[in-house]
């Protein structure tokens, strides 16, 4: 009898049903796309640094930190994928290789541990808070961001072997997530006060983007259980669906979010009479 310990569902699918050529390649490609976009984003944030007034530049620098860490960790995640499954020519499918590394999404979670606080701090360097204190919001962002990720990281190990533990850790993580959503809403509504309509509209778009893109992560956590255990998603569909969801979420929450913050900073810089000098 083979035992996979606390392995995540991708490995169980890879052990029993295996993965089709299309499913396996789609994941390999989408993971590669993920780190390629981070490298492209890195150049964008460096090259646009001087288009905003100096007081906004910390936001771009934080995007640079996010791009570098995401690039490295997504690269590791992509290699983890290709080293976990091996093609079996007899059966024409990929299976979990004997003695190979198991696949785990843990690289992502630890990447979020760096990126989530950075992404949350970033907006504080673009907006001006009216009633809240910068340091208080920063500390709450940092604390709840880290707590949300660490509890989720522990929970994801149990997605197959201990459903109760999986849901309890997931619920604790969600409590911190709700706190973050509450803080972000407050930051954005304070930030909109007294700034040009154009920048207010971009901040509204940032709030919408934030809500949608951050919700995709708990969606991916729940993926194998979306239609009940052993349901439709406890299969290749779920394995591929989860990696596509993560990649879309990463591009939106790290790159597009950073670009929109740059746009707000550019509008505000122009309004204060900042002109780029070379
Ligand atoms: C977890 C565990 C299940 C419950 C919840 C989660 C939320 C995760 C989020 C992650 C955001 C990550 C970002 C990364 C960017 O680099 C941990 C999946 C609520 C919101 C924005």
């Amino acid at each position: 009898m083979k035992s996979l310990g606390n392995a995540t569902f991708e490995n169980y699918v890879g052990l029993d049903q295996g993965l089709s050529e299309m499913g396996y390649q789609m994941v390999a490609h989408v993971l590669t796309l993920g780190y390629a976009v981070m490298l492209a984003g890195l150049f964008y944030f460096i090259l646009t640094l001087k288009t905003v007034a100096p007081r906004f530049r910390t936001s771009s620098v934080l995007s640079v930190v996010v791009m570098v860490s995401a690039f490295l960790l997504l690269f590791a995640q992509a290699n983890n994928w290709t080293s976990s499954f091996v093609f079996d020519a007899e059966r024409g499918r990929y299976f979990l290789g004997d003695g190979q590394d198991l696949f785990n999404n843990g690289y992502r979670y630890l990447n979020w541990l760096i990126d989530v606080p950075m992404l949350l701090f970033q907006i504080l360097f673009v907006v001006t808070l009216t009633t809240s204190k910068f340091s208080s919001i920063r500390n709450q962002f940092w604390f709840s961001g880290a707590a949300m990720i660490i509890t989720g990281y522990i929970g994801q190990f149990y997605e197959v072997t201990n459903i109760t533990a999986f849901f309890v850790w997931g619920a604790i993580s969600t409590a911190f997530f709700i706190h973050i959503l509450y803080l972000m809403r407050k930051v954005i509504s304070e930030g909109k006060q007294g700034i040009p309509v154009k920048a207010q509209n971009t901040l509204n778009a940032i709030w919408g983007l934030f809500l949608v893109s951050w919700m995709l992560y708990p969606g991916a956590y729940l993926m194998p259980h979306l239609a009940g255990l052993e349901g439709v998603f406890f299969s290749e569909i779920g394995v591929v669906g989860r990696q596509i969801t993560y990649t879309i979420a990463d591009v939106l929450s790290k790159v597009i979010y950073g670009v929109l913050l740059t746009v707000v900073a550019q509008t505000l810089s122009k309004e204060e009479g900042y002109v780029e000098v070379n």
Side-chain angles (χ1 to χ4, degrees):
M1 164 83 187
K2 292 195 177 183
S3 166
L4 293 185
N6 276 340
T8 52
F9 95 112
E10 288 89 352
N11 303 286
Y12 285 85
V13 172
L15 183 70
D16 301 331
Q17 313 154 29
L19 300 157
S20 69
E21 166 67 2
M22 188 172 171
Y24 171 87
Q25 296 294 0
M26 279 173 81
V27 172
H29 298 159
V30 88
L31 288 171
T32 307
L33 172 70
Y35 68 78
V37 174
M38 299 305 145
L39 191 60
L42 174 66
F43 282 97
Y44 172 86
F45 293 113
I46 294 174
L47 294 170
T48 55
L49 192 66
K50 292 214 169 131
T51 63
V52 302
R55 73 184 175 97
F56 299 118
R57 290 186 192 159
T58 312
S59 168
S60 303
V61 172
L62 291 175
S63 273
V64 167
V65 173
V66 168
M67 292 302 107
V68 172
S69 84
F71 172 80
L72 291 172
L73 282 133
L74 289 172
F75 186 72
Q77 188 78 63
N79 285 330
N80 182 204
W81 175 260
T82 45
S83 65
S84 298
F85 303 100
V86 218
F87 188 67
D88 178 345
E90 300 262 298
R91 291 181 282 180
R93 291 170 78 78
Y94 291 79
F95 288 89
L96 200 63
D98 229 357
Q100 304 278 126
D101 240 5
L102 295 188
F103 184 73
N104 188 268
N105 292 294
Y107 291 107
R108 292 189 183 278
Y109 282 72
L110 294 191
N111 166 241
W112 305 340
L113 203 49
I114 307 166
D115 290 355
V116 161
M118 297 301 131
L119 292 169
L120 294 171
F121 291 169
Q122 231 185 309
I123 192 162
L124 298 176
F125 291 95
V126 175
V127 305
T128 308
L129 298 174
T130 47
T131 45
S132 308
K133 253 184 83 194
F134 180 96
S135 60
S136 151
I137 300 277
R138 182 199 57 204
N139 293 344
Q140 295 183 64
F141 267 163
W142 180 91
F143 180 81
S144 285
M148 172 182 83
I149 303 305
I150 294 168
T151 50
Y153 175 71
I154 301 171
Q156 59 103 27
F157 280 105
Y158 297 115
E159 67 181 23
V160 179
T161 49
N162 186 345
I163 304 300
T164 311
F166 172 75
F167 279 109
V168 169
W169 284 111
I172 301 173
S173 174
T174 305
F176 292 111
F177 182 42
I178 292 170
H179 182 223
I180 293 172
L181 290 176
Y182 161 80
L183 290 172
M184 185 52 109
R185 210 176 89 104
K186 191 153 106 173
V187 166
I188 292 185
S189 71
E190 287 186 25
K192 282 197 307 202
Q193 285 166 33
I195 61 167
V197 179
K198 188 168 173 252
Q200 286 184 16
N201 290 339
T202 318
L203 276 179
N204 285 335
I206 290 176
W207 172 240
L209 175 84
F210 185 84
L211 268 184
V212 172
S213 62
W214 284 52
M215 296 272 193
L216 292 176
Y217 294 93
Y221 181 89
L222 288 173
M223 189 73 81
H225 302 297
L226 279 183
L229 188 60
E230 308 289 343
V232 199
F233 288 96
F234 203 102
S235 66
E236 181 173 278
I237 298 177
V239 173
V240 179
R242 182 188 259 177
Q243 298 307 319
I244 293 180
T245 306
Y246 277 140
T247 305
I248 295 175
D250 279 347
V251 174
L252 295 178
S253 71
K254 303 183 221 253
V255 186
I256 308 298
Y257 168 80
V259 170
L260 289 182
L261 280 177
T262 306
V263 171
V264 175
Q266 284 167 340
T267 310
L268 298 179
S269 303
K270 207 161 163 193
E271 201 219 11
E272 350 177 299
Y274 171 78
V275 233
E276 189 184 344
V277 272
N278 284 304

